[in-house]
Amino acid sequence: MSFVVKQTINIGVFDSGMGGLTVLKELIRLFPHAHYQYFGDTARLPYGSKSVETVAKYAKSSARFLQSQGADLLVVACNTATALALGPIKDALRIPVIGVVEPGASRASEVSHSRKVAVIATEATVSSHAYQRALKKRGIQTREKACPLFVPLVEEGWTEHSVTRQVAEIYLNELFADDSETDVLLLGCTHYPLLSALLRQLTPPRVAIVDSAESTAAAVVQHFKKNKTLSQSQNSLPKLSFFATDSVEKFQRIGERFLGQHIEEVKLVQLKS
Amino acid sequence: MSFVVKQTINIGVFDSGMGGLTVLKELIRLFPHAHYQYFGDTARLPYGSKSVETVAKYAKSSARFLQSQGADLLVVACNTATALALGPIKDALRIPVIGVVEPGASRASEVSHSRKVAVIATEATVSSHAYQRALKKRGIQTREKACPLFVPLVEEGWTEHSVTRQVAEIYLNELFADDSETDVLLLGCTHYPLLSALLRQLTPPRVAIVDSAESTAAAVVQHFKKNKTLSQSQNSLPKLSFFATDSVEKFQRIGERFLGQHIEEVKLVQLKS
């Protein structure tokens, strides 16, 4: 089902790099008539290996930039920034903020019968235990596993490579070898949807794969539905703008893989802090 | 041979992260009586995927910090920062600066008979063609290959893992499959010495492996010898201080692997720009 926007809605989508484009891709699919401004903090990526304080500082300045560009709502399309700094980001802005952790956890909870979920993510997201907390609230037991090689493998373009398959086998084996109950694998990093075909092949058939990109896009639609800013009337195309703090050429080239469509132009932005 | 310092010499060693500790390790081995201050810009790493402008800005502020701590000489123990920003760093400081590219290229030139050298490095170092230029000055033909998965594999601790072997085979095969003349493999990234045993096994026997960490430490000793600040008299232990802009605990834990010795304390530093 696709929803249509009554008035022009500006949605800011923020990530440390290009991974959040998988969330934008889902947003465009579900909600094709909004204006989207995507901001990748590529000069300071990756957030995944940095501390809470540093991630919070970087994320707040990036979020403020999108607010200053007229965003009506901010999507924190970055698991690390959501896991480590959603509170500080919300406090720093006056517009509503939706992160990726709650929608992902909520969807996992809807799908799981055994109430046992496995989460794969970056080192920082796993260390924060943000998914574990979000799932515990829903009565779910969680196993978490950091998969630090997945992001560079995806960025190398090796999404179907035999090396990636082996790395995935090693990581997933640690999660599922001695476990016959977990029935959901939650992808807690926006790069991982590009590996979903491979992960599907390597995960026991009883296990459903839940992708926080999809769940988050659905949560955004839900937000506007609840606030009655959606109707079936309008029929304009989505308007897309892209900003990055570094390497706009690389963003354009690699970003298209994540977004699944051509990226016309990426504007370079300098942030003070 | 190990040299001894006549007066206390303070050497600042700078890298985006922990890789430069392989250079520090060699410096301590060759030059055990100096005071070393190592600075890892871990809040902004990796430099390897960023633009010239961003790397230059980050590197200058890091280099100035070490100068302000009393360094007599700065070692830029980071291939990307050397390749992209050695000039700007030198212009920003009043102390002598030694980077890793010239010593590595110089050593490769001494070793190569065929005058054909292969360089492996990060994406940014390869794109800068800094090694190619430094080797061309010495009449050497260069093939360069970016190996973006090596850094995360080393940081995962998989230095002897079968996955790393396969990745290395793929990368080296692209360099050597159709080449029977190249006789030097130059490791143009400070993480790569941790893979040298593996790379030795996978590289044709005629090919010598030259490591810019070793060559750079030798160049530093050479600098102080030329300036007659070395004698064989003193016998103090090296004094080591470590600074990082983020994640000091992680620096300590992973850094020991690169340095080959215990790291007592890492001080957190905040840089303004």
Side-chain angles (χ1 to χ4, degrees):
Chain A
M1 184 168 36
S2 106
F3 293 93
V4 180
V5 185
K6 207 187 274 175
Q7 72 231 43
T8 300
I9 288 182
N10 287 297
I11 299 179
V13 181
F14 151 62
D15 181 30
S16 59
M18 287 160 274
L21 292 169
T22 58
V23 179
L24 179 57
K25 184 183 175 183
E26 288 303 315
L27 279 165
I28 294 169
R29 196 174 64 81
L30 282 185
F31 202 32
H33 307 294
H35 288 190
Y36 292 101
Q37 299 193 301
Y38 184 95
F39 182 90
D41 191 12
T42 46
R44 304 189 287 199
L45 68 80
Y47 287 3
S49 52
K50 302 198 168 88
S51 70
V52 177
E53 294 72 25
T54 299
V55 168
K57 189 173 78 173
Y58 291 174
K60 279 194 292 186
S61 67
S62 304
R64 276 196 204 104
F65 172 81
L66 283 169
Q67 180 174 269
S68 76
Q69 294 294 305
D72 299 307
L73 176 138
L74 178 77
V75 180
V76 183
C78 173
N79 279 273
T80 305
T82 303
L84 273 62
L86 190 65
I89 296 171
K90 282 183 171 172
D91 292 345
L93 301 193
R94 54 177 187 275
I95 55 174
V97 177
I98 291 180
V100 283
V101 173
E102 282 293 320
S106 169
R107 180 76 190 133
S109 174
E110 280 162 33
V111 172
S112 176
H113 298 288
S114 67
R115 315 310 285 159
K116 288 192 164 61
V117 167
V119 178
I120 55 174
T122 63
E123 209 184 316
T125 303
V126 166
S127 303
S128 76
H129 301 302
Y131 276 102
Q132 195 177 52
R133 278 195 304 279
L135 289 160
K136 198 178 175 188
K137 278 196 307 193
R138 295 166 169 93
I140 287 178
Q141 231 182 298
T142 307
R143 302 184 74 165
E144 295 174 296
K145 167 88 190 127
C147 303
L149 286 164
F150 279 168
V151 169
L153 285 163
V154 167
E155 296 206 337
E156 183 72 318
W158 290 13
T159 49
E160 283 158 28
H161 199 286
S162 68
V163 161
T164 311
R165 171 179 290 266
Q166 284 169 70
V167 172
E169 274 169 355
I170 293 166
Y171 287 153
L172 294 176
N173 193 44
E174 286 180 39
L175 275 175
F176 293 109
D178 60 346
D179 176 320
S180 59
E181 292 184 13
T182 296
D183 63 356
V184 173
L185 176 65
L186 178 50
L187 310 187
C189 172
T190 53
H191 277 66
Y192 299 178
L194 279 90
L195 299 174
S196 58
L198 181 69
L199 295 171
R200 181 63 279 169
Q201 292 167 34
L202 300 174
T203 306
R206 71 170 189 282
V207 177
I209 294 182
V210 170
D211 161 355
S212 50
E214 262 177 38
S215 323
T216 303
V220 172
V221 170
Q222 202 55 36
H223 170 90
F224 286 114
K225 252 177 97 176
K226 217 164 58 187
N227 291 281
K228 301 201 172 54
T229 34
L230 291 173
S231 81
Q232 302 289 343
S233 63
Q234 205 175 317
N235 202 14
S236 65
L237 285 171
K239 201 178 135 193
L240 304 175
S241 311
F242 299 91
F243 304 92
T245 51
D246 196 16
S247 307
V248 293
E249 183 278 327
K250 189 183 167 194
F251 185 105
Q252 216 165 346
R253 183 167 39 86
I254 300 185
E256 295 185 353
R257 236 185 275 154
F258 291 83
L259 188 62
Q261 63 171 271
H262 178 61
I263 293 178
E264 191 61 38
E265 190 202 3
V266 183
K267 292 189 193 86
L268 185 67
V269 176
Q270 303 269 11
L271 293 184
K272 282 220 186 77
S273 67
Chain B
M1 183 165 38
S2 107
F3 293 93
V4 180
V5 185
K6 206 187 277 173
Q7 72 231 45
T8 299
I9 289 181
N10 287 297
I11 299 179
V13 181
F14 151 62
D15 181 29
S16 57
M18 288 160 272
L21 292 169
T22 59
V23 179
L24 179 57
K25 183 184 177 183
E26 287 303 315
L27 279 165
I28 294 169
R29 195 174 65 82
L30 283 184
F31 203 30
H33 306 293
H35 288 191
Y36 292 101
Q37 300 192 299
Y38 184 95
F39 181 91
D41 191 13
T42 46
R44 304 189 288 198
L45 69 79
Y47 287 4
S49 52
K50 301 195 169 91
S51 71
V52 176
E53 295 71 27
T54 299
V55 169
K57 189 174 77 174
Y58 291 174
K60 280 193 293 185
S61 67
S62 304
R64 277 197 204 102
F65 171 81
L66 282 168
Q67 179 175 267
S68 76
Q69 295 294 304
D72 299 308
L73 176 137
L74 178 77
V75 180
V76 183
C78 173
N79 279 274
T80 306
T82 304
L84 273 59
L86 189 64
I89 296 171
K90 283 183 171 173
D91 292 346
L93 302 192
R94 50 176 191 275
I95 56 174
V97 177
I98 292 180
V100 283
V101 173
E102 282 293 320
S106 170
R107 180 74 189 134
S109 175
E110 281 163 34
V111 172
S112 176
H113 298 289
S114 67
R115 315 312 285 159
K116 288 192 166 58
V117 167
V119 178
I120 54 175
T122 62
E123 208 184 319
T125 303
V126 165
S127 303
S128 76
H129 301 302
Y131 276 102
Q132 194 177 52
R133 279 196 304 278
L135 288 161
K136 198 177 174 186
K137 279 197 307 193
R138 295 165 170 92
I140 288 179
Q141 234 182 295
T142 308
R143 301 183 74 167
E144 295 173 296
K145 168 86 188 131
C147 302
L149 286 165
F150 279 169
V151 168
L153 284 163
V154 167
E155 297 205 338
E156 183 73 319
W158 289 13
T159 50
E160 283 158 29
H161 198 287
S162 68
V163 161
T164 311
R165 172 179 288 268
Q166 284 169 70
V167 172
E169 274 169 357
I170 293 166
Y171 287 153
L172 294 176
N173 193 44
E174 286 181 40
L175 274 176
F176 293 109
D178 61 346
D179 178 320
S180 59
E181 293 184 13
T182 296
D183 62 357
V184 172
L185 176 66
L186 179 50
L187 310 187
C189 173
T190 53
H191 277 66
Y192 298 179
L194 280 90
L195 299 174
S196 58
L198 182 68
L199 295 172
R200 180 64 279 166
Q201 291 166 35
L202 300 174
T203 306
R206 72 169 189 283
V207 177
I209 294 182
V210 169
D211 161 356
S212 50
E214 261 177 38
S215 323
T216 303
V220 171
V221 171
Q222 202 54 37
H223 170 89
F224 286 113
K225 253 176 95 175
K226 219 165 57 186
N227 290 282
K228 301 202 172 52
T229 32
L230 291 174
S231 80
Q232 302 290 345
S233 62
Q234 204 175 317
N235 203 15
S236 66
L237 286 170
K239 202 178 135 193
L240 304 175
S241 311
F242 299 92
F243 304 92
T245 51
D246 195 15
S247 307
V248 293
E249 182 278 326
K250 188 183 168 193
F251 185 105
Q252 217 166 345
R253 183 166 40 85
I254 300 187
E256 295 185 353
R257 234 185 274 155
F258 291 83
L259 188 62
Q261 61 171 273
H262 178 62
I263 293 176
E264 191 60 39
E265 189 201 5
V266 183
K267 292 188 194 84
L268 186 67
V269 176
Q270 302 269 13
L271 292 184
K272 282 220 185 75
S273 66

